[in-house]
Amino acid sequence: MGERYLYQKCPFLKALSQEKREQFEIYFRTAPDWLIDSLVVEKIKKGTTFIRENNPADTIYFIVEGLIVATDYRVLGVSYDFMQFQKMYAFGGMEFIMDLDVYKTSLRTVTDSIAVKISRAMFEKWMYSDIKALKYESKLIGEYLLEQARNERIVLLMKGTDRLCLLLVYHYEQYQKNGILCVKEGQKSLADKTGMCLKSINRAVKTLSEQGLIRKQGNKILVEKRQYEEMKALISEKTDIG
């Protein structure tokens, strides 16, 4: 039945953005009816760690609405949010491709989110019977790993102020309202997301404020469109990001 059946079983797709809808359609364009029948929709609240590193990788998740981050806790117990995801991936698919029994990354929702779940057993059955689906999944994983490696190398060489600029640029593109980004999270959260210590974050915030690239309002950080554009231009001058 193809795409028509997909929409019959997943009517929530009609409410998604065109970009997300197209990503979902492309991923499941060769999926058999029995796989579509096995899809389970789940609402996940903001701040929920729905995949934990070293837990059994028995479920595949597709985040069709919302924003999530990958978090690493391995260094001295410090959490580090090392990548945000805007495209739709099969989370748990990498573990399948690599024959791993446990998840290798922790994933947490940044916003209220909607997930579509498939058991790993059903996912494996589909992949083993559909070479086009397997090839597409491998392509997405390869692109993700390449992007992650390149971005990690870039961030590693960045100064503290540049790291914070990059984070605020990403946040502006995702969270701004009426042309203004309001960052209410504390310095500890910013430190986690940039991999910096609190002292370095405080210094970077002070520097950007003095340069007029952000505005402090109590414990909040405000970024206007002009400031966002200036920060993005600064990052583009030094890297090929953006």
Side-chain angles (χ1 to χ4, degrees), residues 141-162:
I141 289 174
E143 290 175 347
Y144 156 67
L145 293 175
L146 176 60
E147 181 183 2
Q148 178 186 335
R150 293 183 74 253
N151 288 347
E152 286 294 296
R153 289 195 297 270
I154 290 173
V155 171
L156 183 65
L157 298 173
M158 279 183 168
K159 297 188 299 183
T161 51
D162 291 335

Side-chain angles (χ1 to χ4, degrees), residues 113-157:
S113 303
I114 299 175
V116 171
K117 302 190 301 182
I118 310 174
S119 71
R120 176 161 172 170
M122 295 294 280
F123 185 78
E124 288 184 349
K125 180 181 177 182
W126 176 35
M127 290 289 140
Y128 286 139
S129 64
D130 188 339
I131 187 61
K132 290 183 179 179
L134 180 60
K135 182 178 179 181
Y136 186 65
E137 172 62 16
S138 301
K139 174 179 178 290
L140 290 179
I141 289 174
E143 290 175 347
Y144 156 67
L145 293 175
L146 176 60
E147 181 183 2
Q148 178 186 335
R150 293 183 74 253
N151 288 347
E152 286 294 296
R153 289 195 297 270
I154 290 173
V155 171
L156 183 65
L157 298 173

Side-chain angles (χ1 to χ4, degrees), residues 76-227:
L76 301 176
V78 176
S79 62
Y80 172 38
D81 296 339
F82 63 87
M83 189 167 188
Q84 298 188 1
F85 301 90
Q86 293 179 303
K87 294 181 180 179
M88 193 187 72
Y89 292 101
F91 297 107
M94 180 183 70
E95 285 78 1
F96 156 69
I97 292 291
M98 298 176 67
D99 283 330
L100 300 172
D101 295 326
V102 298
Y103 295 116
K104 302 306 292 182
T105 303
S106 293
L107 297 176
R108 186 182 79 253
T109 55
V110 178
T111 63
D112 289 340
S113 303
I114 299 175
V116 171
K117 302 190 301 182
I118 310 174
S119 71
R120 176 161 172 170
M122 295 294 280
F123 185 78
E124 288 184 349
K125 180 181 177 182
W126 176 35
M127 290 289 140
Y128 286 139
S129 64
D130 188 339
I131 187 61
K132 290 183 179 179
L134 180 60
K135 182 178 179 181
Y136 186 65
E137 172 62 16
S138 301
K139 174 179 178 290
L140 290 179
I141 289 174
E143 290 175 347
Y144 156 67
L145 293 175
L146 176 60
E147 181 183 2
Q148 178 186 335
R150 293 183 74 253
N151 288 347
E152 286 294 296
R153 289 195 297 270
I154 290 173
V155 171
L156 183 65
L157 298 173
M158 279 183 168
K159 297 188 299 183
T161 51
D162 291 335
R163 286 194 193 187
L164 184 55
C165 274
L166 182 60
L167 177 67
L168 293 175
V169 164
Y170 283 157
H171 272 30
Y172 186 95
E173 292 172 350
Q174 294 156 9
Y175 303 123
Q176 63 85 17
K177 293 183 179 180
N178 300 319
I180 297 178
L181 169 69
C182 180
V183 180
K184 300 178 182 178
E185 56 195 290
Q187 310 293 66
K188 174 64 168 60
S189 178
L190 293 176
D192 289 345
K193 291 182 177 180
T194 56
M196 297 160 60
C197 66
L198 281 171
K199 184 176 180 180
S200 296
I201 276 290
N202 291 333
R203 186 162 53 240
V205 168
K206 181 180 178 182
T207 298
L208 294 182
S209 179
E210 291 173 347
Q211 293 175 348
L213 294 174
I214 63 174
R215 179 161 58 91
K216 289 280 289 174
Q217 189 178 83
N219 293 326
K220 301 176 184 177
I221 294 176
L222 302 179
V223 179
E224 299 174 359
K225 184 177 181 181
R226 173 191 59 80
Q227 295 168 318

